[in-house]
Amino acid sequence: MKIAVLPGDGIGIEVTAQAVKVLKAVAGREAELTEGLIGGAAVDAEGVPLPPATLELAKNSEAILFGAAGRAGDELGPRDKRPGGGLLRLRRELQLYANFRPAFLFPELIGASSLRPELVEGLDLLVLRELNGDLYYGEPRGISIGPDGRRHGVNTMRYSEPEIERIAHVAFKAARGRKKKVCSVDKANVLETMVLWRETVAAVGKEYPDVELRHLYVDAASMELLRAPRQFDVIVTGNLFGDILSDAAAMLTGSIGMLPSASIGEGNKGLYEPVHGSAPDIAGKDIANPIAAILSVAMLLRHSFGRNEDAARIEGAVRKVLAQGYRTADILQPGMNKVGTVAMGDAVLTALG
Ligand code: IPM
Ligand code: MG
């Protein structure tokens, strides 16, 4: 198993170290791990957030385990030196267009959710975010001086039919393995790009008569996510709305520190990362929750290598440490055993048996 390990910045470094520990314990010598630079660390060392060597490494690997990219004040620097840009280029260069962000509630964490227990009990939904298009990559873009002598900012929301079709197929197929419900989220009441989105998803939906399809505008969808989140199974949406809704969905489960994600394309190759970011404010303090990164390893083993048993073993170990009362600060509740990043990683290792 050729795996690139890209810890990146901030807590990405700490949580990836715990994830690697778990990966090594499960896969042993079969895992051939190679570390690479990305994000702010790469900007410091090489002047760019995605050095050519890292792109090569990622291209030659079967899977990529990613930590986080970004540092405080990033938005102030030039665009080609922004740490997050390394991740964005990687997603696009490798054509990883389907981003799976499952949000499920561990029963042990029901009291840690920001919603009342009766609203989130049994919550299990999937935000499927398109990852290669939309305002993130659309041209023209930039800040320029307008005819009035003042600065104007432009970004372009852009989607083609083929781009929408391929993510829609992924959504309907994913729903078939779940509760057979797809909710497509757009803003078709205002934006032409989103009219195309809605029409195209509906057309693809005809090929999946066994899957229920409905459409929601993004404002209504965010309201429903907070009002009655269990109505959702698969939420399929564009890059920007998916970025926002997946953070919101994550909080329903207790902490964004719990949730893994997978970004995949046509083959088995995938990039696996915690949904959370680099959290510069808590970096280097041994308090970050490594569970999202550890569960990303489970997704990696399942999607890229078909090692379902190993994945289930890791997920089972996480369940066990939660049942044993181990909690990092973000999911701490009265009477629980507060641990740091490394100790949580160790607890999962022990629970693997
Ligand atoms: C995410 C992050 C990234 C994004 C940033 C770091 C570029 O927020 O993966 O959700 O906006 O896609
Ligand atoms: Mg985000």
Side-chain angles (χ1 to χ4, degrees):
M1 301 193 273
K2 278 186 156 187
I3 302 170
V5 178
L6 311 179
D9 303 318
I11 62 167
I13 298 166
E14 298 157 68
V15 298
T16 303
Q18 301 314 307
V20 164
K21 211 155 83 176
V22 171
L23 174 58
K24 282 184 176 159
V26 170
R29 292 228 206 97
E30 283 177 70
E32 190 187 313
L33 308 180
T34 313
E35 258 203 46
L37 282 172
I38 196 163
V43 173
D44 289 347
E46 318 254 335
V48 284
L50 181 67
T54 303
L55 181 57
E56 263 322 284
L57 169 67
K59 282 188 172 159
N60 294 326
S61 304
E62 296 166 276
I64 300 148
L65 184 63
F66 179 83
R71 295 186 292 195
D74 276 352
E75 67 286 357
L76 302 173
R79 182 147 71 91
D80 57 344
K81 287 199 190 312
R82 270 177 226 156
L87 176 61
L88 297 179
R89 237 194 100 197
L90 205 52
R91 290 171 176 170
R92 181 93 158 177
E93 292 269 355
L94 302 178
Q95 293 197 41
L96 305 171
Y97 64 84
N99 183 212
F100 288 73
R101 296 191 163 184
F104 50 86
L105 183 81
F106 285 93
E108 292 82 5
L109 295 186
I110 192 158
S113 171
S114 43
L115 292 190
R116 290 194 305 277
E118 64 268 30
L119 293 178
V120 290
E121 193 182 1
L123 180 79
D124 178 10
L125 62 85
L126 170 69
V127 177
L128 181 65
R129 168 187 177 192
E130 199 290 329
L131 209 54
N132 279 182
D134 204 354
L135 282 154
Y136 271 67
Y137 299 96
E139 298 283 348
R141 67 184 294 160
I143 300 175
S144 57
I145 308 291
D148 59 353
R150 302 299 307 268
R151 292 188 304 156
H152 293 237
V154 176
N155 287 94
T156 303
M157 179 177 267
R158 189 182 281 281
Y159 267 119
S160 67
E161 269 181 320
E163 283 175 308
I164 304 166
E165 281 164 3
R166 66 181 183 178
I167 192 73
H169 281 290
V170 175
F172 289 110
K173 284 180 185 148
R176 277 188 172 160
R178 302 174 48 101
K179 285 172 246 156
K180 296 198 167 73
K181 292 200 293 187
V182 170
C183 177
S184 172
V185 172
D186 60 44
K187 190 68 186 172
N189 52 340
V190 179
L191 305 167
E192 285 74 13
T193 313
M194 293 285 103
V195 172
L196 184 69
W197 177 280
R198 184 174 286 222
E199 289 177 2
T200 308
V201 172
V204 172
K206 298 224 157 54
E207 295 174 41
Y208 301 84
D210 53 319
V211 179
E212 175 198 310
L213 169 65
R214 68 181 174 131
H215 306 269
L216 278 181
Y217 299 137
V218 63
D219 48 353
S222 56
M223 182 184 75
E224 290 300 323
L225 207 47
L226 296 178
R227 190 186 68 81
R230 278 181 311 193
Q231 68 185 283
F232 295 108
D233 180 21
V234 176
I235 294 176
V236 62
T237 189
N239 206 345
L240 182 68
F241 297 159
D243 178 45
I244 299 166
L245 291 180
S246 59
D247 269 34
M251 272 324 286
L252 305 178
T253 70
S255 167
I256 197 167
M258 294 297 298
L259 296 181
S261 76
S263 305
I264 62 177
E266 291 305 339
N268 290 337
K269 192 201 278 283
L271 182 150
Y272 305 85
E273 58 170 318
V275 170
H276 65 71
S278 55
D281 52 325
I282 60 162
K285 297 183 179 159
D286 191 43
I287 54 178
N289 186 348
I291 291 180
I294 291 170
L295 291 174
S296 297
V297 170
M299 286 189 105
L300 176 151
L301 291 166
R302 188 177 280 125
H303 278 280
S304 283
F305 301 103
R307 292 174 70 128
N308 298 338
E309 274 173 35
D310 288 336
R313 221 179 122 205
I314 294 173
E315 288 157 355
V318 168
R319 285 291 302 273
K320 193 164 164 196
V321 300
L322 293 174
Q324 287 167 339
Y326 291 103
R327 298 285 188 278
T328 42
D330 55 313
I331 50 174
L332 189 63
Q333 286 171 283
M336 296 293 157
N337 181 8
K338 185 174 177 183
V339 291
T341 312
V342 175
M344 183 60 105
D346 288 340
V348 174
L349 268 195
T350 308
L352 280 173

